[in-house]
Structure formats: structure tokens, C-alpha cells
Amino acid sequence: MRIYLRTFGLCIVVALLSLVFLFSKHDEGSFSAGFKQVRAPLQQKSFNGAKAKQRPTATTSHRDVVQNPNSPVQEEVLMHLAAVACGERHGEVVNMLKTAVTLSQRALRFHIFAEQQLQTSIKADLDSWPAFIQGKFSYVLHPISFPHEHHEEWSQLFKPCASQRLFLPMILRELDSLLYVDTDVLFLQPVELIWDMLMLFNSTQLIAMAPEHEEPRIAWYSRFSWHPYYGKMGINSGVMLMNLTRMRITQFKNDMTPVGLHWDELLMPLLQKYKLNITWGDQDLINIIFHYNPEMVYTLPCHWNYRPDHCIYGSNCAPAEDEGVFVLHGNRGVFHSDKQPAFRAVYEAFEQYTFGEDLRQSLLSRLEVALNETTHTYCGKASHFFTTGLQKSVRRLQRATPPGD
């Protein structure tokens, strides 16, 4: 009888242990599933109601993405240039791209984020360029895309669509590096010169930007800002050279959490905290981020983002005085007004230039004549800085082009 009781008791123990094991496996599976559910939103952000992996990108065929089939070149040799165009920016973005492709010798891929009504006209302009120019670039037209749950708030921050650039690391997930510029930018030097600065980044740097000001007496951030900003006078977001891979994987220090947050986790909490204190929209948010992470910024010299503030109160960009202006940034609408005629003259010179004409005669010489008419203004007195950089580019291109081509 005792033998039967012991056997029965042993069976009971084995059954109980089996049940404990099964429940433990079930709980482990439930925990793993719950963890995946928590992390999933961070890996697949929703843009316009669609998961990120379903959104059109530069490498997919989709009705919202238009690709130029010309010049299929190897991905690894491409320089990727991005811009955002909304409202009346069609002419600006096309002229900016014209300067890039005119002066650069390496292959370019343009990533143009534009409202639907602008995409047709931008495509028509780019497709109308001559074949020898189209052989130098390819392009992708992207729809404007913000996180679905806060679309209205982001789309109207500062200027329509301006904050789109904040989301480029998440949208262009297939890219390692990217040069972003505002549409009101003109290249006076080839894109490859700034693109090659990626190789100058140290192990912590992931973005290159120029200071907002060089002169403390006219600096906006140090005099008027109600929020933290980078360095002594802030940084300007009109020209940004980015290592997107590093931006996606890095955890950024901040003043909201004791641990670092990824770029996509940081943006909305930052806006919610500072939206009543910021004036320049997404540029202010970028300044706040890099105030707490200054080691991540490679500082561009001011002649890579030369604006009216560098000459309107007298010359205050020493690199431009020594080497000329490399990137001209006509912010505050100066390309289209009479406020700074020297800036407008450069814009119109490129706009009127016809591909294939002699660069020295049809672009540079005409520009020098137009700039001579602006010397009554402060920036006009410094306008030889504009042609110094451009002269270098023209000489470089002429040396690289065999006679008769």
C-alpha cells in the first residue's frame, strides 16, 4: 500500500512540476510579445497613416515618387542632396539644383520633397535640361510627409514644410549620408568639396553646420533667445551635412529624461516643452538638441553658409574675405527683393545662364558687371567675395574639360 501511495505522490509532484514549467514558458512568451509591442512604434514610425517601411523611398517605384531614369550610376559614388519646396519655392529649388549640377563633377542624386502641385513643374524643368547635364544627376520627388498623429503641428511650424528636414533621417532610411540645403541657397563651389568633409568627422560628430553669426553684437540667439542654443551664437540650419546612420543610432542627451533619446524619440517631447519659447521653428529645436550634445557638431566655416548678416553691417566672415563665398544663402527673401541687390544679382545670373554656354563669358563676366551696380550697398562692397569662389570653380571646370568639348 505504501508503494502505491509513494508512486501516486511522485506522479503528483511530476505533474505539478510540468504545469509550473508550462506556465513559465507561457509567461516568457507573453513578456517577449509585450516587449516587441512596446518597441515596435519606435522602429516603424507612422507617416501620413502608413508604416515607414511601406512609404515610398528613393529606391522604390511608386506613384508618389518620380525618378529620373537617366544616368543610372552606382549608389556608392553618389552625392545625395536634399531640399524641401512648398508654396512659391519652385523657381528657387530648380535654380539651386542648377548651380549644384553646373559646378560639380561627381554624380548627384537630388531628393526633392515637394507639395503635389509643385512636383509636376519641378519634374518638367529637370527633364528639360540637356542630355549632357542629365547625365550628371538623377532625382527623386518625395511627397511632404510628417508623423500622422502630429501632422498639422509639424507642417505649420515656422514656415510651411520647413520642419520636414527634421524627419529626413527616418524617411531616407536607405541613405548613410546626406547634404540638406534650403531652397534659397546657391552653390558657388562644387558639391564634392563640402561632401568630402564627411571624412573629416571624428568619432562623435554626425552633423556639420555653420554658426548663425560671427559677430556677437548682432547675434540673435545670444541676445534674444528664450531657450538653450549651440555654442556662443547658435547654428544655422540652412546647410546641413549629415551622417544619417549615426543620427539614427545615437542617443542624445537632453533636459527632459535622465537617459539619452534617439532622434525620432526626441523631437515631439522637445517641441511640446519649448513651443512657446521658440521663434525660428525647427532651427531652434536643432539648436536645443546640440546645446546638450556639442561634441556631435562639426562646425562649418561661415563661407559655406554666407548670408546677408555677414555683410549687411560690414564684412564679418573672415574665410569669405580670404577664399571667397562657397555657398550663398539668400535668406529673408533677398534673392527676390531690392533689399540686397548683390544677392539678387547672383541668383539672376544663374537663372539666366544657359547650359552649354561658356561659363566665364556667359555667367562670370555678366555677373561681375551686374555686381558693379551694387557697390552703393554694404553687401555690394563685399560682392567680390561672391565672384572669388565662383572664379575658382570656373577655372577648375575649364581645366577638367578637354578643348572642343
Side-chain angles (χ1 to χ4, degrees):
M1 185 66 180
R2 289 181 179 178
I3 294 175
Y4 291 118
L5 290 173
R6 288 177 182 176
T7 303
F8 179 74
L10 183 61
C11 291
I12 293 296
V13 170
V14 170
L16 288 172
L17 289 174
S18 298
L19 288 172
V20 169
F21 176 76
L22 289 172
F23 278 120
S24 67
K25 294 299 289 181
H26 179 269
D27 290 341
E28 180 184 348
S30 299
F31 175 79
S32 299
F35 180 76
K36 290 176 181 176
Q37 284 182 331
V38 170
R39 295 300 299 174
L42 301 181
Q43 296 167 352
Q44 298 179 1
K45 287 291 182 182
S46 173
F47 286 83
N48 288 340
K51 291 184 178 179
K53 66 179 182 179
Q54 296 172 328
R55 245 186 9 84
T57 67
T59 56
T60 59
S61 297
H62 191 279
R63 63 183 179 184
D64 290 331
V65 176
V66 183
Q67 292 182 293
N68 180 4
N70 295 300
S71 65
V73 288
Q74 294 297 315
E75 187 76 17
E76 60 268 19
V77 304
L78 288 174
M79 300 181 294
H80 293 273
L81 175 64
V84 179
C86 286
E88 303 298 321
R89 299 287 184 170
H90 159 251
E92 276 189 357
V93 72
V94 171
N95 209 31
M96 179 273 290
L97 299 174
K98 185 178 183 180
T99 67
V101 76
T102 297
L103 301 179
S104 300
Q105 297 182 56
R106 293 191 209 158
L108 287 156
R109 174 160 291 163
F110 302 144
H111 298 267
I112 309 158
F113 291 79
E115 294 172 311
Q116 192 63 43
Q117 62 268 26
L118 294 182
Q119 291 195 17
T120 301
S121 56
I122 293 173
K123 180 182 186 300
D125 280 344
L126 298 184
D127 290 348
S128 71
W129 290 355
F132 73 92
I133 292 295
Q134 292 200 33
K136 299 174 66 175
F137 75 96
S138 57
Y139 69 87
V140 186
L141 286 169
H142 299 264
I144 299 298
S145 178
F146 293 106
H148 179 70
E149 59 272 23
H150 300 288
H151 183 278
E152 193 68 24
E153 195 165 6
W154 285 117
S155 64
Q156 297 303 317
L157 182 63
F158 184 46
K159 294 180 181 178
C161 305
S163 62
Q164 178 74 86
R165 55 188 161 186
L166 292 176
F167 301 94
L168 296 179
M170 291 87 82
I171 297 173
L172 299 175
R173 286 185 174 273
E174 75 280 6
L175 298 188
D176 174 70
S177 299
L178 180 73
L179 174 62
Y180 165 86
V181 296
D182 285 351
T183 59
D184 54 359
V185 155
L186 301 173
F187 288 93
L188 304 184
Q189 287 281 291
V191 175
E192 48 262 35
L193 292 189
I194 187 171
W195 184 262
D196 286 346
M197 289 185 184
L198 287 164
M199 295 184 290
L200 302 180
F201 285 14
N202 64 26
S203 60
T204 65
Q205 290 166 339
L206 47 75
I207 193 167
M209 301 172 69
E212 175 68 18
H213 287 284
E214 299 292 315
E215 172 53 60
R217 290 173 297 178
I218 63 172
W220 193 91
Y221 281 109
S222 57
R223 293 187 300 157
F224 304 117
S225 174
W226 288 80
H227 59 77
Y229 53 88
Y230 174 83
K232 294 181 179 180
M233 289 174 278
I235 42 180
N236 183 276
S237 58
V239 178
M240 298 191 296
L241 180 65
M242 297 176 281
N243 184 315
L244 298 181
T245 300
R246 290 185 180 182
M247 291 181 73
R248 285 187 287 263
I249 65 175
T250 297
Q251 291 185 317
F252 295 83
K253 300 185 292 292
N254 60 88
D255 62 347
M256 299 173 293
T257 62
V259 296
L261 295 174
H262 288 101
W263 187 266
D264 58 346
E265 300 170 316
L266 182 58
L267 296 178
M268 195 62 215
L270 205 64
L271 178 60
Q272 291 173 335
K273 178 172 182 177
Y274 287 104
K275 60 184 176 182
L276 298 180
N277 302 103
I278 59 177
T279 302
W280 308 114
D282 55 305
Q283 177 173 292
D284 289 348
L285 297 181
I286 291 170
N287 266 278
I288 296 168
I289 291 172
F290 291 112
H291 169 84
Y292 294 103
N293 301 273
E295 73 282 359
M296 298 181 186
V297 179
Y298 179 93
T299 304
L300 292 174
C302 53
H303 62 337
W304 280 109
N305 188 349
Y306 190 93
R307 284 158 279 123
D309 285 343
H310 291 120
C311 55
I312 193 172
Y313 304 110
S315 178
N316 60 72
C317 177
E321 297 172 10
D322 296 336
E323 303 179 70
V325 174
F326 287 4
V327 172
L328 191 68
H329 186 178
N331 63 337
R332 305 190 192 118
V334 296
F335 285 153
H336 313 290
S337 72
D338 296 324
K339 294 179 180 178
Q340 298 300 330
F343 279 74
R344 182 170 182 171
V346 181
Y347 182 89
E348 291 178 346
F350 275 101
E351 188 177 42
Q352 296 165 9
Y353 171 72
T354 300
F355 287 120
E357 291 182 342
D358 183 81
L359 282 167
R360 184 173 296 278
Q361 295 300 320
S362 298
L363 177 64
L364 189 55
S365 296
R366 292 177 184 174
L367 175 58
E368 289 172 339
V369 171
L371 289 175
N372 284 335
E373 302 297 321
T374 70
T375 54
H376 61 285
T377 66
Y378 279 114
C379 289
K381 289 181 174 65
S383 63
H384 57 285
F385 303 155
F386 302 173
T387 53
T388 299
L390 187 56
Q391 285 171 347
K392 295 177 182 178
S393 298
V394 171
R395 286 197 298 267
R396 189 182 297 111
L397 284 170
Q398 290 181 333
R399 286 196 301 267
T401 304
D405 280 16

